[in-house]
Amino acid sequence: MSNIQETIRSGKLPQHIAIIMDGNGRWAQQQGHERTFGHKNGVEAVRSIIEGAGELGIKYLTLYAFSTENWNRPKEEIEMLMGLLIQSIHNELEKLIKNHVRLMMTGRLSDLPESCQNALQDAIDRTAFNDGLTVVLALSYSGRTELTDAVRAIAQKSANGEITPSEITPETISNHLYHNEIPDPDILIRTGGDYRISNFLLWEIAYSELFFSPIMWPDFRKENLFDIIYDFQHRERRFGKTGEQVREQ
Ligand code: IPE
Ligand code: IPE
Ligand code: MG
């Protein structure tokens, strides 16, 4: 274990890290390749980050792999991405199982091609009882859609007389999101140099610490993640209180 890993492990670990894995296309184009070359090379970054998060003992890692808006991309790119998903699951599943990784997904599974749904569901089922790192793949995910689905479910309960409007609290909304059992992210990272959220986890990141990295996703490695976690451990999260109040706790 490297020095920085030892240092991080002696501090307070984030429970949940969420990553917007951006910059694949530009990374490839900068080298005169097709965008899809960047997606292929992005898999190595995913491998490194899962490995690094596992080594540190992080509980949850959510990876934004495909947004609802990404369905508007060229058909060939979408097909390539869906194929890459199946292939990556196929190649990595045994190693994930060996490393006690539990795989989950967030988003609308039913939007994906059937072959993807099957591969994903199989991997989710086969890792369901693993007690190491939980990796949540966000696929056909949209923060606004997740909130819309929650509002629909709550409205239905209200129509059934199970809840009155005045009983609806922020906790009610949290409890109706796709994964109410997962704590909100402590850290949100976006690679690729842009400063935006692109419809990711809108509700859940209310108090996340934000990190924007200029590194394109295919070049991102666990060492970059460790630097961010080290930085996180030196930030003061005040949650609305004063610094004095926080330090007295
Ligand atoms: C992120 O990289 C991967 C997906 C959105 C699927 P991009 O494909 O968005 O790469 P850039 O941002 O165009 O460089
Ligand atoms: C966000 O990246 C979605 C994923 C990384 C999966 P995009 O590349 O789709 O975001 P925009 O279009 O630049 O906002
Ligand atoms: Mg992008």
Side-chain angles (χ1 to χ4, degrees):
M1 195 164 284
S2 65
N3 277 347
I4 186 157
Q5 275 173 288
E6 297 281 7
T7 311
I8 290 171
R9 279 169 62 102
S10 66
K12 192 165 186 281
L13 279 180
Q15 276 196 288
H16 183 180
I17 298 174
I19 309 184
I20 302 172
M21 309 186 289
D22 196 28
N24 292 352
R26 279 165 289 158
W27 180 88
Q29 285 164 334
Q30 280 162 10
Q31 303 172 58
H33 291 286
E34 301 269 327
R35 297 176 49 82
T36 51
F37 182 71
H39 299 315
K40 276 189 208 118
N41 281 274
V43 177
E44 190 53 46
V46 173
R47 208 177 281 135
S48 175
I49 296 314
I50 291 179
E51 197 177 282
E55 284 166 9
L56 286 178
I58 304 289
K59 282 265 144 258
Y60 299 96
L61 176 68
T62 298
L63 300 174
Y64 202 9
F66 196 84
S67 72
T68 307
E69 290 75 18
N70 289 146
W71 291 113
N72 297 316
R73 290 200 178 188
K75 190 167 159 276
E76 302 73 47
E77 183 170 339
I78 295 175
E79 280 173 3
M80 184 273 167
L81 280 166
M82 295 300 147
L84 187 62
L85 176 68
I86 297 175
Q87 194 197 326
S88 304
I89 290 175
H90 180 77
N91 292 344
E92 304 296 325
L93 189 57
E94 289 310 321
K95 192 169 153 210
L96 293 176
I97 292 172
K98 196 171 130 248
N99 292 331
H100 312 284
V101 172
R102 175 171 65 153
L103 196 70
M104 287 174 57
M105 78 87 66
T106 188
R108 285 192 172 162
L109 182 66
S110 58
D111 287 352
L112 302 177
E114 219 176 283
S115 51
C116 281
Q117 291 187 35
N118 294 339
L120 207 55
Q121 194 58 59
D122 175 60
I124 291 170
D125 293 343
R126 288 179 58 193
T127 60
F129 297 104
N130 289 349
D131 58 0
L133 171 70
T134 297
V135 175
V136 186
L137 288 181
L139 289 162
S140 195
Y141 176 85
S142 144
R144 286 186 172 178
T145 304
E146 181 180 28
L147 282 166
T148 306
D149 287 348
V151 170
R152 282 187 189 165
I154 297 166
Q156 188 60 58
K157 284 188 180 168
S158 181
N160 297 347
E162 292 168 42
I163 189 168
T164 62
S166 61
E167 285 169 343
I168 299 170
T169 63
E171 283 69 39
T172 317
I173 295 172
S174 290
N175 288 338
H176 287 81
L177 297 177
Y178 294 150
H179 289 292
N180 61 3
E181 75 281 19
I182 300 180
D184 289 341
D186 301 293
I187 296 179
L188 172 71
I189 303 169
R190 183 182 186 124
T191 63
D194 284 319
Y195 301 89
R196 55 178 173 263
I197 302 300
S198 301
N199 212 353
F200 196 34
L201 305 175
L202 297 177
W203 179 273
E204 297 89 332
I205 60 170
Y207 262 105
S208 303
E209 293 294 326
L210 308 182
F211 292 85
F212 295 93
S213 168
I215 301 172
M216 299 290 152
W217 179 253
D219 283 335
F220 201 76
R221 289 294 178 272
K222 61 182 173 181
E223 289 73 22
N224 306 113
L225 178 71
F226 298 156
D227 287 346
I228 286 174
I229 299 175
Y230 181 82
D231 192 346
F232 165 83
Q233 289 179 327
H234 292 82
R235 289 192 186 182
E236 185 174 70
R237 301 179 81 190
R238 292 189 284 276
F239 297 101
K241 295 182 178 172
T242 67
E244 287 75 16
Q245 286 177 303
V246 171
R247 288 187 292 274
E248 270 165 21
Q249 275 172 2

